[in-house]
PDB file of all heavy atoms in Angstrom:
ATOM      1  N   ALA A 405      -2.201  -8.891  -3.365  1.00  0.00           N
ATOM      2  CA  ALA A 405      -1.801  -8.384  -2.050  1.00  0.00           C
ATOM      3  C   ALA A 405      -2.157  -9.417  -0.995  1.00  0.00           C
ATOM      4  O   ALA A 405      -3.249  -9.992  -1.028  1.00  0.00           O
ATOM      5  CB  ALA A 405      -2.523  -7.075  -1.762  1.00  0.00           C
ATOM      6  N   LEU A 406      -1.244  -9.667  -0.085  1.00  0.00           N
ATOM      7  CA  LEU A 406      -1.498 -10.678   0.943  1.00  0.00           C
ATOM      8  C   LEU A 406      -1.954 -10.007   2.242  1.00  0.00           C
ATOM      9  O   LEU A 406      -1.172  -9.300   2.877  1.00  0.00           O
ATOM     10  CB  LEU A 406      -0.233 -11.504   1.204  1.00  0.00           C
ATOM     11  CG  LEU A 406       0.168 -12.457   0.073  1.00  0.00           C
ATOM     12  CD1 LEU A 406       1.461 -13.196   0.414  1.00  0.00           C
ATOM     13  CD2 LEU A 406      -0.928 -13.485  -0.210  1.00  0.00           C
ATOM     14  N   PRO A 407      -3.211 -10.220   2.629  1.00  0.00           N
ATOM     15  CA  PRO A 407      -3.647  -9.751   3.945  1.00  0.00           C
ATOM     16  C   PRO A 407      -2.746 -10.356   5.026  1.00  0.00           C
ATOM     17  O   PRO A 407      -2.233 -11.468   4.853  1.00  0.00           O
ATOM     18  CB  PRO A 407      -5.079 -10.276   4.058  1.00  0.00           C
ATOM     19  CG  PRO A 407      -5.532 -10.463   2.651  1.00  0.00           C
ATOM     20  CD  PRO A 407      -4.302 -10.886   1.893  1.00  0.00           C
ATOM     21  N   ARG A 408      -2.546  -9.637   6.114  1.00  0.00           N
ATOM     22  CA  ARG A 408      -1.600 -10.102   7.138  1.00  0.00           C
ATOM     23  C   ARG A 408      -2.241 -11.150   8.065  1.00  0.00           C
ATOM     24  O   ARG A 408      -3.311 -10.931   8.600  1.00  0.00           O
ATOM     25  CB  ARG A 408      -1.095  -8.900   7.943  1.00  0.00           C
ATOM     26  CG  ARG A 408      -0.233  -7.978   7.084  1.00  0.00           C
ATOM     27  CD  ARG A 408       0.130  -6.668   7.757  1.00  0.00           C
ATOM     28  NE  ARG A 408       0.965  -5.864   6.851  1.00  0.00           N
ATOM     29  CZ  ARG A 408       0.496  -5.169   5.801  1.00  0.00           C
ATOM     30  NH1 ARG A 408      -0.793  -5.166   5.532  1.00  0.00           N
ATOM     31  NH2 ARG A 408       1.314  -4.479   5.023  1.00  0.00           N
ATOM     32  N   ARG A 409      -1.553 -12.270   8.208  1.00  0.00           N
ATOM     33  CA  ARG A 409      -1.927 -13.362   9.132  1.00  0.00           C
ATOM     34  C   ARG A 409      -3.268 -14.009   8.766  1.00  0.00           C
ATOM     35  O   ARG A 409      -3.944 -14.550   9.641  1.00  0.00           O
ATOM     36  CB  ARG A 409      -1.991 -12.849  10.594  1.00  0.00           C
ATOM     37  CG  ARG A 409      -0.726 -12.155  11.051  1.00  0.00           C
ATOM     38  CD  ARG A 409      -0.691 -11.879  12.546  1.00  0.00           C
ATOM     39  NE  ARG A 409      -1.634 -10.888  13.006  1.00  0.00           N
ATOM     40  CZ  ARG A 409      -1.478 -10.136  14.099  1.00  0.00           C
ATOM     41  NH1 ARG A 409      -0.387 -10.277  14.845  1.00  0.00           N
ATOM     42  NH2 ARG A 409      -2.385  -9.272  14.474  1.00  0.00           N
ATOM     43  N   VAL A 410      -3.661 -13.965   7.494  1.00  0.00           N
ATOM     44  CA  VAL A 410      -4.998 -14.418   7.100  1.00  0.00           C
ATOM     45  C   VAL A 410      -4.964 -15.752   6.354  1.00  0.00           C
ATOM     46  O   VAL A 410      -5.706 -16.677   6.689  1.00  0.00           O
ATOM     47  CB  VAL A 410      -5.702 -13.331   6.260  1.00  0.00           C
ATOM     48  CG1 VAL A 410      -6.974 -13.864   5.615  1.00  0.00           C
ATOM     49  CG2 VAL A 410      -6.020 -12.123   7.139  1.00  0.00           C
ATOM     50  N   TYR A 411      -4.123 -15.861   5.334  1.00  0.00           N
ATOM     51  CA  TYR A 411      -4.085 -17.083   4.528  1.00  0.00           C
ATOM     52  C   TYR A 411      -2.873 -17.926   4.917  1.00  0.00           C
ATOM     53  O   TYR A 411      -1.822 -17.407   5.281  1.00  0.00           O
ATOM     54  CB  TYR A 411      -4.049 -16.735   3.032  1.00  0.00           C
ATOM     55  CG  TYR A 411      -5.323 -16.064   2.561  1.00  0.00           C
ATOM     56  CD1 TYR A 411      -5.322 -14.746   2.124  1.00  0.00           C
ATOM     57  CD2 TYR A 411      -6.522 -16.751   2.593  1.00  0.00           C
ATOM     58  CE1 TYR A 411      -6.500 -14.120   1.703  1.00  0.00           C
ATOM     59  CE2 TYR A 411      -7.710 -16.142   2.179  1.00  0.00           C
ATOM     60  CZ  TYR A 411      -7.689 -14.835   1.740  1.00  0.00           C
ATOM     61  OH  TYR A 411      -8.851 -14.230   1.349  1.00  0.00           O
ATOM     62  N   THR A 412      -3.044 -19.254   4.806  1.00  0.00           N
ATOM     63  CA  THR A 412      -1.972 -20.172   5.172  1.00  0.00           C
ATOM     64  C   THR A 412      -1.274 -20.658   3.902  1.00  0.00           C
ATOM     65  O   THR A 412      -1.698 -20.348   2.782  1.00  0.00           O
ATOM     66  CB  THR A 412      -2.544 -21.391   5.914  1.00  0.00           C
ATOM     67  OG1 THR A 412      -3.405 -22.085   5.005  1.00  0.00           O
ATOM     68  CG2 THR A 412      -3.323 -20.993   7.145  1.00  0.00           C
ATOM     69  N   GLN A 413      -0.252 -21.467   4.111  1.00  0.00           N
ATOM     70  CA  GLN A 413       0.517 -21.932   2.952  1.00  0.00           C
ATOM     71  C   GLN A 413      -0.326 -22.776   2.002  1.00  0.00           C
ATOM     72  O   GLN A 413      -0.138 -22.739   0.795  1.00  0.00           O
ATOM     73  CB  GLN A 413       1.738 -22.722   3.417  1.00  0.00           C
ATOM     74  CG  GLN A 413       2.637 -23.081   2.240  1.00  0.00           C
ATOM     75  CD  GLN A 413       3.963 -23.639   2.670  1.00  0.00           C
ATOM     76  OE1 GLN A 413       4.383 -23.486   3.808  1.00  0.00           O
ATOM     77  NE2 GLN A 413       4.646 -24.297   1.750  1.00  0.00           N
TER      78      GLN A 413
END
Side-chain angles (χ1 to χ4, degrees):
L406 289 178
R408 293 171 180 77
R409 306 190 291 206
V410 169
Y411 294 114
T412 63
Q413 186 170 342

